[in-house]
C-alpha cells in the first residue's frame, strides 16, 4: 500500500496545480501567503455560518444583529455630500428584501452584482419604513451547499472570495483523502492522542474546513491547536536539551562560606519566593550542565538578592561573576547596591598575609576613564576582580575573564539571545558560565513557556513584607500641559496638584512623566520642555523642579539625578528615561501625563519607581483615554498593582503577537492557537514535548515528527537540534 501523504509532500505541491488557479490567481494567493497545498490547508476559516440557525429578513427586528443569506437584486452608487461615494444594494431572501448601504467602498459595486449570493452580517436599522444595514460584513459564498459554511478571511485587495478558497480546499481534500487519495499521515504518537483525546489530523482538517456540525469544528480545532503548540514546544525543548548536552559548565560549590555569610548578615528574612528561587538556582549551579534560567519578579520583589547569592556561589568556588544591565544608570545603581551588600565579605587568598582579602566588586561601563578601564581589564584577566557589574561594555571583544562562572543579565527584554552567548565567550575557562536572566516585566506563565521556552523559570511572586501598597488614581483630563491653551482644567486635576504640594511640604519628592511622543525624540523633548516650563510657572510654582530627558549629555543627566537623590529638587519632570530601575526611596508620588499613550507594562514599570521606601505612595494617571483599550489599560492599573495580573490583562488586550514578536521573529507559526485561550494546551504540549524528548533526545524513533519539525526550523537549527 502506498504510504500516506505527509506535510512535506503537501508543501511541495504548488496551488497552481488546482483547478482554476492560473498565473493571476496564483499571484493573488501568494499575496495572502498561500503558495502550496499545506499553506492552503492551514488557511483556516475565520468563522462559520450555521445555516440551520440562519435568520430571515422578515423576522429581523430593529437593532438586532444577524447573519442572513441573501441574493443581490441590484447595486447602484452615487456621490453624496462631502464627496463620499455611497453604494446602495438591494438584497432579498425568500421572506423579503432590504437595503444595504456602504460608504466609501466603491468596489462593492463590482463585488455585489445582480444574482450574487452572499452572507451579510450586520445590525438592522429602519429608515423610512424600510429595513436596512449600514456597512455590514459581506462574505461571498458562491454556490456552496451544506449546513455549516466556512467563511475564510478574504483579501479585498486580492479579490479572492471565501467560496474560491472553499472550492480549492475541497479539491485538495478530495485528492488527499481516500478513496481517491492516500490519506494524510499523522505523526503524533498514539499515546498522546489517547491521553488528550485528540482526533487524527486528517479528521481534524476535514472538521475545520468541511464540518458537519459545530461540535466537529471544536474537536478539529483542539487537535490542530495542539499540533501547533506541540511543534513549538518540541523545538524549544530540543534546543534546551541540545545546549545542555553540548555545553559543559562548572559544578559550583553551593552554600559555601560566602553565600552563607551573605545570607546570615541580611537584616531581614528572605521571602519564601526568594528562598525557593535560590534553592532552584543552587541546584542548577551544583550540576555541571550550565544553568539557563529566567528569574521573573515584579518590581521590588527582591531579585537583586537572588542574583547576588548566585554570583557568590561562583566566587565561593574560585570563579568570577558578572552582572550586565541595559543602561549606565542601572549598572551604576546595581554596582553601588551590590558593593554595599557585600562590603564585609572576604575571599580566601593564600598568597596574602591573613590568607584572605576583601571581595572585590568593580564597575565597567563606558564612563570609566581609560586608565581605570585598563586596570579593570587586566584584573579581570588575572582573576583579582570577583564580581564585575557593567553595561554592554562587559561583552566587548577585549574583555576577558579568567574564569567566568556565573553571568547575570538584568532586564532581558533589552538583550537579545546573541548577547547572552557573547557573554559566554568572554571567559578563558573551558567551562561555559551559568546564566541567570532577570526580568521585571513579568509575562503569564504559559506565555513564558513559549517566549522563554529554552530557559527554566523561577518566579518571585510575592513582595517582601511591610510595603505600603501604591494607591493609583486616574484623573480624566483632556488636553496636555505642553499646549496649555487646549487644557481643560478640571476639579480633579486641581486637587491633584494640591495633594502633590502637600506631599512636598511633608518632605517627599515627586516624579512627573511627560507624554510619550512616538514620532520623534526631538518632539518629545520639546514637549517635555514645554511641560516643565508650564509646571514651573503655574501648577507647581515655587517648588524646585528639575528636567531630565534623553537628549541631555550624560553629565547633565547625572547632575539632575544627583540633585534629586540629594533632595535638592522636589520634583523631577522627565521623559521615560526614568523607566527602568531608578531608585529614590524618598519619592512617593508618580504622575504620568497623557497616561493613555503608554502600554500596561510601561505604566507598571513607571509606577514601580515609587513605593520603595516606608512612606505611603501614590500614582496619578492623567489622561483622557479615547479608545476602549486605552480605558481598559488605565483601569487595570487602578485595579491592580500585581505585575503578573497586569501581564494577563495585557496579553488579553494586545494578543500574543506582540509578546512573541519580540523574541520569536519568524518562528511564530501559530495560526489557530492562542496563548490566552489555549493556556492549558500550552502546558500539555510542553509536558508532552519534554516526555518525548527525554525518552528519545534526537527523535530517532519519531522520524515522522522529526521530518515535520525540520520543515519549521531555520536552516542550521535542524542540524543542531536533531543531529548533534
Ligand atoms: P527588584 O530588583 O526585584 O526590583 P530589589 O532587588 O531591588 O528588587 O529589591 C527591592 C528592595 O527590597 C531593596 O531595597 C531590597 O533591599 C529589599 N528587599 C529585598 N528582599 C527583601 C526581603 N526579603 N525583605 C525585606 N526587604 C527586602
Ligand atoms: Mg532590579
Amino acid at each position: 500500500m502506498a504510504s500516506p501523504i505527509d506535510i512535506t509532500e503537501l508543501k511541495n505541491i504548488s496551488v497552481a496545480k488546482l483547478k482554476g488557479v492560473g498565473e493571476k490567481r496564483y499571484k493573488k494567493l501568494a499575496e495572502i501567503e498561500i503558495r502550496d497545498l499545506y499553506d492552503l490547508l492551514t488557511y483556516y476559516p475565520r468563522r462559520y455560518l450555521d445555516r440551520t440557525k440562519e435568520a430571515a429578513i422578515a423576522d429581523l427586528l430593529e437593532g438586532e444583529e444577524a447573519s442572513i443569506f441573501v441574493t443581490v437584486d441590484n447595486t447602484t452608487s452615487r456621490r453624496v455630500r462631502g464627496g463620499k461615494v455611497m453604494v446602495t444594494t438591494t438584497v432579498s431572501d425568500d421572506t423579503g428584501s432590504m437595503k444595504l448601504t456602504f460608504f466609501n467602498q466603491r468596489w462593492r459595486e463590482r463585488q455585489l452584482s445582480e444574482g450574487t449570493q452572499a452572507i451579510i452580517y450586520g445590525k438592522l436599522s429602519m429608515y423610512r419604513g424600510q429595513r436596512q444595514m449600514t456597512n455590514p460584513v459581506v462574505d461571498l459564498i458562491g454556490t456552496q451547499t451544506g449546513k455549516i459554511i466556512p467563511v475564510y478571511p478574504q483579501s479585498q485587495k486580492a479579490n479572492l472570495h471565501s467560496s474560491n478558497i472553499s472550492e480549492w480546499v475541497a479539491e485538495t481534500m478530495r485528492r488527499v483523502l481516500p478513496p481517491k487519495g492516500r490519506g494524510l499521515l499523522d505523526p503524533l504518537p498514539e499515546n498522546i492522542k489517547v491521553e488528550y483525546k485528540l482526533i487524527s489530523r486528517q479528521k481534524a482538517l476535514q472538521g475545520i474546513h468541511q464540518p458537519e456540525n459545530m461540535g466537529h469544528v471544536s474537536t478539529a480545532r483542539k487537535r490542530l491547536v495542539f499540533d501547533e503548540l506541540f511543534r513549538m514546544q518540541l523545538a524549544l525543548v530540543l534546543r534546551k536539551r541540545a545546549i545542555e548536552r553540548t555545553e559543559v559548565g562548572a559544578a559550583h560549590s553551593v552554600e559555601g562560606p560566602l553565600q552563607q555569610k551573605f545570607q546570615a548578615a541580611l537584616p531581614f528574612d528572605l521571602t519564601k519566593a526568594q528562598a525557593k528561587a535560590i534553592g532552584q538556582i543552587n541546584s542548577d549551579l551544583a550540576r555541571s550542565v550550565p544553568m539557563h534560567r529566567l528569574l521573573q519578579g515584579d518590581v521590588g520583589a527582591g531579585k537583586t538578592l537572588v542574583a547576588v547569592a548566585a554570583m557568590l556561589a561562583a566566587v565561593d568556588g574560585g570563579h568570577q561573576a558578572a552582572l550586565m544591565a541595559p543602561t549606565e544608570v542601572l549598572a551604576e545603581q546595581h554596582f553601588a547596591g551590590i558593593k554595599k551588600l557585600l562590603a564585609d565579605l572576604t575571599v580566601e587568598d593564600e598568597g596574602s598575609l591573613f590568607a584572605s582579602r576583601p571581595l572585590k566588586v568593580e564597575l565597567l561601563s563606558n564612563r570609566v576613564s581609560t586608565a581605570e578601564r585598563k586596570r579593570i581589564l587586566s584584573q579581570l584577566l588575572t582573576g583579582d576582580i570577583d564580581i564585575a557589574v557593567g553595561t554592554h561594555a562587559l561583552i566587548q571583544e577585549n574583555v576577558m575573564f579568567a574564569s567566568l562562572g556565573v553571568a547575570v543579565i538584568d532586564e532581558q527584554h533589552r538583550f537579545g539571545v546573541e548577547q547572552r552567548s557573547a557573554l559566554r565567550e568572554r571567559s578563558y575557562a573551558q567551562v561555559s558560565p551559568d546564566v541567570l536572566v532577570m526580568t521585571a516585566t513579568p509575562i503569564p506563565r504559559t506565555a513564558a513557556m513559549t517566549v522563554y521556552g529554552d530557559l527554566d523559570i523561577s518566579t518571585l511572586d510575592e513582595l517582601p513584607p511591610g510595603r505600603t501598597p501604591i494607591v493609583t488614581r486616574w484623573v480624566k483630563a483632556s488636553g496636555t500641559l505642553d499646549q496649555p491653551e487646549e487644557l481643560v482644567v478640571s476639579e480633579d486635576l486641581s486637587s491633584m496638584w494640591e495633594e502633590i504640594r502637600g506631599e512636598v511640604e511633608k518632605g517627599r519628592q515627586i516624579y512627573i512623566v511627560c507624554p510619550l511622543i512616538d514620532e520623534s525624540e526631538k518632539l518629545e523633548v520639546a514637549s517635555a520642555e514645554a511641560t516643565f516650563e508650564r509646571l514651573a510657572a503655574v501648577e507647581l510654582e515655587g517648588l524646585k523642579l528639575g528636567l531630565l530627558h534623553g537628549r541631555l549629555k550624560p553629565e547633565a543627566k547625572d547632575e539632575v539625578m544627583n540633585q534629586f537623590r540629594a533632595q535638592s529638587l522636589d520634583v523631577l519632570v522627565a521623559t521615560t528615561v526614568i523607566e527602568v530601575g531608578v531608585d529614590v526611596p524618598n519619592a512617593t508620588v508618580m504622575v504620568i501625563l497623557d497616561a493613555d499613550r503608554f502600554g500596561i507594562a510601561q505604566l507598571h514599570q513607571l509606577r514601580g519607581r515609587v513605593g520603595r521606601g516606608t512612606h505611603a505612595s501614590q500614582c496619578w494617571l492623567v489622561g483622557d483615554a479615547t479608545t476602549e483599550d486605552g480605558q481598559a489599560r488605565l483601569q487595570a492599573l487602578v485595579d491592580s498593582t500585581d505585575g503578573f495580573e497586569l501581564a494577563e490583562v495585557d496579553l488579553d488586550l494586545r494578543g500574543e503577537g506582540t509578546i512573541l514578536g519580540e523574541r520569536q521573529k519568524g518562528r511564530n507559526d501559530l495560526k489557530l492557537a492562542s496563548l490566552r485561550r489555549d493556556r492549558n494546551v500550552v502546558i500539555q504540549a510542553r509536558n508532552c514535548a519534554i516526555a518525548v524528548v527525554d525518552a528519545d533526545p534526537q527523535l530517532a524513533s519519531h522520524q515522522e515528527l522529526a521530518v515535520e519539525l525540520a520543515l519549521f526550523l531555520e536552516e542550521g537549527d535542524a542540524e543542531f537540534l536533531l543531529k548533534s
Side-chain angles (χ1 to χ4, degrees), residues 135-424:
N135 291 338
V137 176
V138 176
D139 289 304
L140 301 190
I141 58 158
T143 50
Q144 286 181 75
T145 51
K147 288 196 203 83
I148 310 276
I149 295 180
V151 179
Y152 291 92
Q154 302 144 67
S155 151
Q156 299 306 351
K157 209 174 61 195
N159 194 25
L160 287 168
H161 299 162
S162 181
S163 56
N164 298 133
I165 312 250
S166 278
E167 279 159 29
W168 291 321
V169 167
E171 188 191 336
T172 308
M173 296 296 271
R174 269 197 308 277
R175 289 177 188 278
V176 169
L177 302 184
K180 207 169 171 201
R182 285 149 39 215
L184 204 61
L185 180 88
D186 193 344
L188 197 62
E190 199 55 38
N191 63 325
I192 295 181
K193 272 192 279 189
V194 171
E195 182 170 356
Y196 295 104
K197 300 194 175 62
L198 299 170
I199 60 174
S200 73
R201 180 177 281 174
Q202 173 170 309
K203 261 215 171 106
L205 283 172
Q206 260 178 316
I208 205 101
H209 290 295
Q210 305 170 319
E212 272 150 29
N213 52 56
M214 290 309 285
H216 202 178
V217 173
S218 84
T219 50
R221 188 179 178 281
K222 185 174 162 196
R223 166 63 206 257
L224 297 169
V225 162
F226 189 90
D227 277 6
E228 290 180 357
L229 294 170
F230 181 56
R231 201 151 54 212
M232 189 173 229
Q233 289 301 334
L234 260 187
L236 291 163
V237 173
L238 280 168
R239 175 181 316 279
K240 191 166 179 306
R241 295 291 189 254
I243 291 172
E244 290 169 1
R245 260 200 317 276
T246 49
E247 274 184 14
V248 183
H252 293 283
S253 45
V254 296
E255 291 174 30
L258 287 171
Q259 232 191 25
Q260 283 186 4
K261 265 188 232 154
F262 166 67
Q263 287 191 32
L266 287 174
F268 41 69
D269 292 330
L270 294 176
T271 65
K272 263 203 224 97
Q274 283 172 321
K276 185 170 165 202
I278 292 176
Q280 290 169 331
I281 290 169
N282 275 349
S283 68
D284 286 356
L285 293 177
R287 298 195 306 156
S288 63
V289 171
M291 167 171 78
H292 296 275
R293 186 173 282 277
L294 174 75
L295 178 62
Q296 283 209 90
D298 220 335
V299 185
K303 292 184 290 298
T304 315
L305 282 190
V306 177
V308 168
M311 295 196 286
L312 288 177
V315 182
D316 262 326
H319 301 280
Q320 295 158 291
L323 187 154
M324 182 157 78
T327 65
E328 306 274 337
V329 177
L330 260 183
E332 279 160 23
Q333 232 166 242
H334 270 308
F335 172 64
I338 290 172
K339 242 184 117 108
K340 217 155 77 194
L341 277 172
L342 302 181
D344 300 326
L345 293 182
T346 54
V347 182
E348 279 178 41
D349 178 8
E350 275 154 26
S352 71
L353 211 50
F354 296 96
S356 76
R357 60 168 176 82
L359 184 130
K360 191 161 181 148
V361 186
E362 290 281 0
L363 174 69
L364 184 65
S365 75
N366 287 328
R367 288 201 229 166
V368 301
S369 69
T370 316
E372 263 292 277
R373 191 181 159 73
K374 238 176 127 179
R375 176 186 64 81
I376 293 174
L377 291 188
S378 98
Q379 292 187 335
L380 283 175
L381 253 181
T382 55
D384 287 321
I385 294 175
D386 301 297
I387 294 179
V389 179
T391 56
H392 289 81
L394 281 174
I395 50 171
Q396 275 148 20
E397 286 281 315
N398 54 353
V399 180
M400 283 308 278
F401 289 79
S403 175
L404 183 58
V406 169
V408 179
I409 303 177
D410 195 13
E411 307 293 346
Q412 156 77 6
H413 56 292
R414 309 215 168 189
F415 282 113
V417 181
E418 311 77 51
Q419 276 140 326
R420 259 205 271 153
S421 53
L423 192 47
R424 241 175 272 144

